[in-house]
Amino acid sequence: MPSPARSSRTYSRLGPAGLVAALALVASGPFTPRPAAAQTPVAVPPDAPARYHPLPSVRAQAEEMQGWVEARVERVLPALMAEYDVDMWILSMREYGEDPVFWSIISPTTFAARRRSIYIFTRQDDGSVERLALGGSSQGGLFEIYRSARPAPTGEQAELWGNEQWRLLNEVVSDRDPGNIVLNIDDTWAFADGLASGEREALEEALGEKY
């Protein structure tokens, strides 16, 4: 399917842009792996003592993985959105029903989506991508999060939830007025087909006929 035209005012199914983005975000890291050097087979005596190769601490592993995620959203994603002329990419999912791409754009310390998590990626004129989260956390500072106007029992702002999220989504999209919107819907690639039918219906209702 061709990438969506900028003059379009309707959202697009996930074409090559979303497919490549989904696969690249899942698989790519900030570094290009080097091929392993060939090794001569060595026979290990059955009574040889076990050798242990210590791994970095879990905290150190999380820090390195966070760097991979940062590289994906700051380097890989902007290039893909520019290549396929995508103005806006929206991911919407509920807790324990996450989009496959979710696991490649979140902090390694995140367990699951928070109730409902909506992520909005908008391409800017300078080539960068604005990253907003309507619900959930900032994923280690990778997203600008929006909170509810309602106070929480602790005195802080409460999380966005329910119709409040959809109303805010409409405001955000209308304010940026993208020429096209890409959603994760695909009948071939599983990684590119993460938008649940219920989420799609709610998203369509929230955006209205204009988009």
Side-chain angles (χ1 to χ4, degrees), residues 47 49 65 101 104 112 117 126 138 149 155 164-165 173 177 185 203 205:
D47 58 347
M65 293 168 67
V101 178
S104 62
S117 295
D126 62 0
S138 69
E164 193 174 30
Q165 282 179 295
V173 174
D177 196 26
I185 304 171
L203 193 150
E205 182 177 354

Short mmCIF file of all heavy atoms in Angstrom, two decimals, residues 47 49 65 101 104 112 117 126 138 149 155 164-165 173 177 185 203 205:
data_model
loop_
_atom_site.label_atom_id
_atom_site.label_comp_id
_atom_site.label_asym_id
_atom_site.label_seq_id
_atom_site.Cartn_x
_atom_site.Cartn_y
_atom_site.Cartn_z
N ASP A 47 34.89 -33.74 32.72
CA ASP A 47 35.09 -33.40 34.12
C ASP A 47 35.60 -31.96 34.30
O ASP A 47 36.03 -31.58 35.39
CB ASP A 47 36.09 -34.37 34.75
CG ASP A 47 37.44 -34.38 34.02
OD1 ASP A 47 37.49 -33.84 32.89
OD2 ASP A 47 38.40 -34.95 34.57
N PRO A 49 35.61 -28.11 35.07
CA PRO A 49 34.74 -27.30 35.94
C PRO A 49 33.94 -26.29 35.12
O PRO A 49 34.37 -25.84 34.06
CB PRO A 49 35.74 -26.61 36.87
CG PRO A 49 37.02 -26.56 36.09
CD PRO A 49 37.04 -27.82 35.28
N MET A 65 19.59 -0.66 28.00
CA MET A 65 18.38 -0.83 27.19
C MET A 65 17.66 0.50 27.01
O MET A 65 17.08 0.76 25.95
CB MET A 65 17.47 -1.86 27.86
CG MET A 65 18.05 -3.28 27.86
SD MET A 65 17.14 -4.41 28.94
CE MET A 65 15.59 -4.51 28.06
N VAL A 101 4.37 -3.01 19.17
CA VAL A 101 5.40 -1.97 19.13
C VAL A 101 5.64 -1.36 20.51
O VAL A 101 6.70 -0.81 20.78
CB VAL A 101 5.02 -0.88 18.11
CG1 VAL A 101 6.05 0.24 18.08
CG2 VAL A 101 4.89 -1.48 16.72
N SER A 104 8.91 -1.89 22.37
CA SER A 104 10.15 -1.34 21.82
C SER A 104 10.26 0.17 21.97
O SER A 104 11.26 0.76 21.58
CB SER A 104 10.27 -1.71 20.33
OG SER A 104 9.22 -1.14 19.59
N ALA A 112 3.69 -2.77 32.01
CA ALA A 112 2.57 -2.88 31.08
C ALA A 112 2.04 -1.49 30.77
O ALA A 112 2.44 -0.51 31.40
CB ALA A 112 1.44 -3.75 31.67
N SER A 117 -3.20 3.62 27.36
CA SER A 117 -2.05 4.46 26.99
C SER A 117 -2.19 4.87 25.54
O SER A 117 -2.39 4.02 24.66
CB SER A 117 -0.73 3.71 27.19
OG SER A 117 -0.52 3.42 28.56
N ASP A 126 11.31 20.84 11.50
CA ASP A 126 12.76 20.68 11.52
C ASP A 126 13.20 19.22 11.42
O ASP A 126 14.39 18.91 11.52
CB ASP A 126 13.35 21.31 12.78
CG ASP A 126 12.85 20.64 14.06
OD1 ASP A 126 12.04 19.69 13.97
OD2 ASP A 126 13.27 21.07 15.15
N SER A 138 6.33 8.93 31.49
CA SER A 138 7.15 9.53 30.43
C SER A 138 8.16 8.54 29.87
O SER A 138 8.92 8.89 28.97
CB SER A 138 7.90 10.74 30.98
OG SER A 138 8.88 10.34 31.93
N ALA A 149 -6.96 17.10 34.68
CA ALA A 149 -7.21 18.35 35.40
C ALA A 149 -7.82 18.08 36.77
O ALA A 149 -7.90 18.97 37.62
CB ALA A 149 -8.15 19.24 34.58
N GLY A 155 -3.51 14.72 46.33
CA GLY A 155 -3.32 16.14 46.13
C GLY A 155 -2.66 16.48 44.81
O GLY A 155 -2.64 17.63 44.40
N GLU A 164 -12.03 11.50 29.19
CA GLU A 164 -11.09 12.61 29.30
C GLU A 164 -9.91 12.42 28.34
O GLU A 164 -9.42 13.38 27.74
CB GLU A 164 -10.59 12.71 30.74
CG GLU A 164 -9.86 14.00 31.05
CD GLU A 164 -9.52 14.11 32.52
OE1 GLU A 164 -9.32 13.05 33.17
OE2 GLU A 164 -9.44 15.24 33.02
N GLN A 165 -9.47 11.17 28.19
CA GLN A 165 -8.37 10.90 27.26
C GLN A 165 -8.79 11.16 25.82
O GLN A 165 -8.04 11.76 25.04
CB GLN A 165 -7.92 9.44 27.39
CG GLN A 165 -7.03 9.17 28.59
CD GLN A 165 -6.64 7.71 28.67
OE1 GLN A 165 -7.49 6.85 28.86
NE2 GLN A 165 -5.36 7.42 28.53
N VAL A 173 -4.91 16.51 18.34
CA VAL A 173 -4.89 16.29 16.90
C VAL A 173 -5.40 17.53 16.16
O VAL A 173 -4.81 17.96 15.16
CB VAL A 173 -5.72 15.05 16.53
CG1 VAL A 173 -5.82 14.91 15.00
CG2 VAL A 173 -5.09 13.79 17.13
N ASP A 177 -3.36 19.50 13.50
CA ASP A 177 -4.00 19.41 12.19
C ASP A 177 -3.12 18.70 11.15
O ASP A 177 -2.74 19.29 10.14
CB ASP A 177 -4.35 20.81 11.70
CG ASP A 177 -5.34 20.77 10.54
OD1 ASP A 177 -6.10 19.80 10.44
OD2 ASP A 177 -5.34 21.71 9.72
N ILE A 185 -2.66 -0.91 11.58
CA ILE A 185 -3.65 -1.85 11.05
C ILE A 185 -3.05 -2.49 9.81
O ILE A 185 -2.71 -1.80 8.86
CB ILE A 185 -4.97 -1.14 10.67
CG1 ILE A 185 -5.55 -0.38 11.87
CG2 ILE A 185 -5.98 -2.15 10.14
CD1 ILE A 185 -6.72 0.51 11.52
N LEU A 203 -11.35 5.45 18.88
CA LEU A 203 -10.49 6.48 18.29
C LEU A 203 -11.21 7.20 17.15
O LEU A 203 -11.14 8.43 17.03
CB LEU A 203 -9.20 5.82 17.80
CG LEU A 203 -8.03 6.74 17.43
CD1 LEU A 203 -6.71 6.02 17.68
CD2 LEU A 203 -8.10 7.19 15.99
N GLU A 205 -14.40 7.60 16.81
CA GLU A 205 -15.43 8.46 17.40
C GLU A 205 -14.81 9.72 17.99
O GLU A 205 -15.37 10.82 17.88
CB GLU A 205 -16.20 7.70 18.47
CG GLU A 205 -17.32 8.49 19.10
CD GLU A 205 -18.12 7.70 20.12
OE1 GLU A 205 -17.86 6.48 20.26
OE2 GLU A 205 -18.99 8.29 20.79
#
